[in-house]
Amino acid sequence: MENKLHKIYFIYGIVFFMISLAFTSCDTSVPDPKTAYVPAGYRLVWQDEFDYKGAPNPDKWNYSLGGNGWGNGEVQFYTDKRTNSFVDKGMLTIRAANENGMWTSARIKTQYKADWLYGYIEVRARLPKGIGTWPAIWMLPSFDSYGAWPRSGEIDIMEHVGFDPNVIHTTVHTLAYNHKIGTQKNHHAVVPGATEAFHIYGIEWNENYIQWYIDGKPFFKFTNEQKTYAEWPFDKPFYLILNLAIGGSWGGQKGIDPKMKEARLEIDYVRVYQK
């Protein structure tokens, strides 16, 4: 009888091990914690690994402040308080908080600190859950060389709206190509686990194209048509922005979850490479 029990336990053990192995081998939601993809010939020129505690490094980051809707009817008020942006345990957290019916959040940027013309830029992030959230990793020109938006361009490395969970959007805005005239150039697709696990969002940007990558895999490509600035204003330096908006013309299309008290955009690192 004892030998039979030993055999049964042994068989159960093997079955359990095989099931565990199968689930482990199928779990592709979390990318390698190292750099997902760096084009040949590029070297690291700027980074924030968030290996400190407190405020985002003031030598690298500025804040956008206020609550004027930000051109999109957003409801949050951006602050520079630690309740809305802080670094701890190797992570930057941008936290949107419902404070007695008023939303606060943070929008940090490298404007006046660092900008780049061409390169490979990547951010490892975990996105917030919740209807009404609108996190973004994006870039704007340091100077409006070709005029006000959208003439001087915008590069959206990653956008996500909470009412459409795990669907990642990548976009450019120019005078010729933007959503206000129905010509927007973009791509979106489901990235499983975007609100559960960290993923790496990156662009390779040079004089000929902008190529988006997610976890090292090509996602979308926008090619320079070699016409005018109206199609390609991306020959000037741009700076990086990380923010978590609430509501707005897009993020708030399905309203804002009244039960939601907070939402968090978590950033593991930001790295910039150039030739």
Side-chain angles (χ1 to χ4, degrees), residues 2-42:
E2 186 176 352
N3 288 337
K4 288 184 178 179
L5 286 175
H6 285 166
K7 289 180 180 179
I8 291 171
Y9 291 146
F10 178 74
I11 292 170
Y12 279 160
I14 292 176
V15 171
F16 180 79
F17 173 77
M18 294 301 293
I19 292 173
S20 300
L21 184 62
F23 275 108
T24 302
S25 63
C26 291
D27 182 12
T28 59
S29 61
V30 182
D32 190 292
K34 299 178 182 179
T35 299
Y37 172 84
V38 180
Y42 283 76

Side-chain angles (χ1 to χ4, degrees), residues 203-228:
I203 59 166
E204 180 186 0
W205 167 32
N206 58 43
E207 63 271 19
N208 297 313
Y209 59 80
I210 303 172
Q211 171 71 63
W212 281 256
Y213 296 90
I214 297 182
D215 296 337
K217 298 177 182 178
F219 190 79
F220 173 53
K221 188 174 186 178
F222 177 72
T223 302
N224 185 355
E225 299 172 6
Q226 307 294 338
K227 294 181 180 178
T228 71

Side-chain angles (χ1 to χ4, degrees), residues 62-191:
N62 276 321
Y63 300 85
S64 295
L65 303 173
N68 55 12
W70 299 95
N72 300 302
E74 301 160 25
V75 304
Q76 80 288 335
F77 188 97
Y78 284 133
T79 83
D80 58 0
K81 297 178 180 179
R82 298 291 68 75
T83 51
N84 295 122
S85 60
F86 56 89
V87 178
D88 190 25
K89 297 179 181 178
M91 204 79 60
L92 165 68
T93 297
I94 296 180
R95 175 178 176 265
N98 186 339
E99 302 178 9
N100 299 317
M102 177 181 176
W103 281 95
T104 60
S105 188
R107 170 168 154 165
I108 69 171
K109 56 189 180 179
T110 65
Q111 188 179 24
Y112 311 127
K113 304 286 185 177
D115 59 10
W116 306 275
L117 172 60
Y118 309 140
Y120 175 71
I121 299 150
E122 69 172 20
V123 179
R124 186 172 186 263
R126 177 163 55 193
L127 309 184
K129 297 179 182 179
I131 296 174
T133 58
W134 184 359
I137 301 167
W138 53 303
M139 304 184 78
L140 284 176
S142 297
F143 304 98
D144 287 339
S145 303
Y146 298 118
W149 190 96
R151 290 172 174 81
S152 294
E154 175 182 326
I155 304 170
D156 296 329
I157 298 174
M158 186 291 306
E159 284 186 285
H160 179 268
V161 287
F163 65 80
D164 200 9
N166 298 318
V167 176
I168 301 302
H169 299 257
T170 56
T171 313
V172 293
H173 300 277
T174 74
L175 181 60
Y177 303 124
N178 68 83
H179 65 281
K180 291 191 174 182
I181 58 175
T183 58
Q184 182 168 301
K185 297 287 188 178
N186 69 346
H187 177 64
H188 64 273
V190 172
V191 175

Side-chain angles (χ1 to χ4, degrees), residues 42-64:
Y42 283 76
R43 62 182 180 86
L44 187 65
V45 297
W46 190 94
Q47 68 189 120
D48 199 337
E49 303 294 327
F50 303 112
D51 52 357
Y52 50 92
K53 187 172 182 178
N57 188 340
D59 293 330
K60 297 183 177 183
W61 302 101
N62 276 321
Y63 300 85
S64 295

